[in-house]
Amino acid sequence: MKIASLEDDEAHAAIMSRVLHEAGYECATFSTGRALNRRLREEKFDMLIVDWELPDTSGRDFILWFRTHFGHDIPVLFVTARNMEEDIISGLSAGADDYLTKPIRTNEFVARVRALLRRAYPSAAEDSLIEVGPYRVDVPQKTIHVHEEPITLTPREFDLARLLFQNLGRLLPRDLLMQAVWGRGAEIASRTLDTHLSRVRTKLKLRPENGVQLVPVYSRGYRLEPVAARDGAAVAVAGDV
């Protein structure tokens, strides 16, 4: 899932981005309301995380604007150093769904994010059991079955497969995949990711006849696309690259 973080403190933005990536989410960071405003007109995010003190606006005013133009379907988490009761009430009244004070505690932060996403997207957020065609991904047990046959994967191969199935149809950037599986700052060659994904494709038989295909997007990342059969031919639901 894609999360937009509106935070002008570079250090704090980096911490939140790292934590979200390690939790399996895609995070784009913006330092001004104007920058996020422009991106929202071009791209859809599944969740917003907003600071209060910003260079060109206040987080509260930004949320008011966002709710006016985009409605209330997308969850918003306020993360700010303000911890007075009146600030919390003001932030929630502006349209935030939850309020967290800095400095964040990483486990609590991830738990709040997951809770908001589960509430907003009950069928898509962090499913413990993911079923796509002949595939059954059991996240807690870290197992994958294809046509009821268990597939042996290494821990990293499973983590890559889990991310792909949890984000079916979404482009997953290369850096997100590497950070989520190997950790932020890990020095791995780009071909290492490609090699692991090639093994995942082979072991799981990610082929159109099984209803999915793993598509590399040159220099950007990978996308697991659902494929529908039509007149004996496989057709990518999400479109060709």
Side-chain angles (χ1 to χ4, degrees):
M1 287 191 155
K2 297 169 63 176
I3 299 175
S5 171
L6 182 53
E7 169 64 70
D8 67 321
D9 184 310
E10 292 184 3
H12 199 264
I15 291 172
M16 290 197 298
S17 179
R18 173 181 59 79
V19 171
L20 290 170
H21 281 151
E22 290 176 353
Y25 301 109
E26 181 179 349
C27 179
T29 299
F30 304 86
S31 59
T32 66
R34 188 178 299 107
L36 179 53
N37 181 325
R38 287 195 299 267
R39 182 67 69 85
L40 285 168
R41 299 181 188 278
E42 303 171 353
E43 185 176 357
K44 182 181 183 300
F45 289 93
D46 299 300
M47 180 177 178
L48 267 59
I49 298 174
V50 181
D51 186 21
W52 194 300
E53 303 292 345
L54 299 165
D56 58 346
T57 185
S58 74
R60 185 181 188 281
D61 286 344
F62 184 88
I63 292 174
L64 285 168
W65 170 85
F66 177 77
R67 290 305 190 202
T68 298
H69 290 83
F70 293 91
H72 288 74
D73 293 337
I74 299 173
V76 176
L77 173 63
F78 231 141
V79 178
T80 172
R82 295 195 180 203
N83 58 7
M84 300 296 290
E85 182 179 9
E86 55 265 31
D87 293 327
I88 297 173
I89 294 172
S90 179
L92 295 174
S93 298
D97 297 282
D98 200 355
Y99 195 106
L100 196 60
T101 56
K102 298 178 183 177
I104 63 168
R105 295 183 289 269
T106 56
N107 290 338
E108 179 186 7
F109 173 61
V110 172
R112 297 283 188 101
V113 168
R114 285 178 172 159
L116 289 175
L117 289 171
R118 279 197 303 269
R119 188 189 311 165
Y121 314 103
S123 64
E126 291 298 325
D127 300 279
S128 60
L129 184 64
I130 305 168
E131 294 183 292
V132 177
Y135 297 92
R136 187 172 74 252
V137 183
D138 189 321
V139 176
Q141 296 299 318
K142 296 185 180 298
T143 60
I144 298 182
H145 288 70
V146 183
H147 294 292
E148 302 303 325
E149 177 186 352
I151 305 299
T152 301
L153 299 174
T154 67
R156 282 178 175 154
E157 289 169 352
F158 175 83
D159 286 340
L160 285 169
R162 171 184 58 81
L163 285 169
L164 291 169
F165 278 98
Q166 284 178 334
N167 294 276
L168 188 67
R170 291 183 180 275
L171 173 66
L172 295 177
R174 299 180 67 87
D175 59 348
L176 183 149
L177 289 167
M178 289 189 286
Q179 290 177 13
V181 175
W182 281 270
R184 188 177 181 86
E187 296 183 2
I188 65 168
S190 180
R191 63 179 178 275
T192 300
L193 173 64
D194 299 323
T195 299
H196 277 72
L197 284 168
S198 178
R199 291 172 182 163
V200 169
R201 178 194 284 116
T202 300
K203 289 183 176 182
L204 297 183
K205 302 175 184 176
L206 301 178
R207 301 193 294 257
E209 55 265 36
N210 284 328
V212 293
Q213 61 181 1
L214 183 59
V215 178
V217 181
Y218 180 71
S219 78
R220 295 182 62 192
Y222 285 84
R223 179 170 57 235
L224 184 64
E225 290 186 348
V227 176
R230 186 177 68 193
D231 298 330
V235 180
V237 174
D240 297 327
V241 175

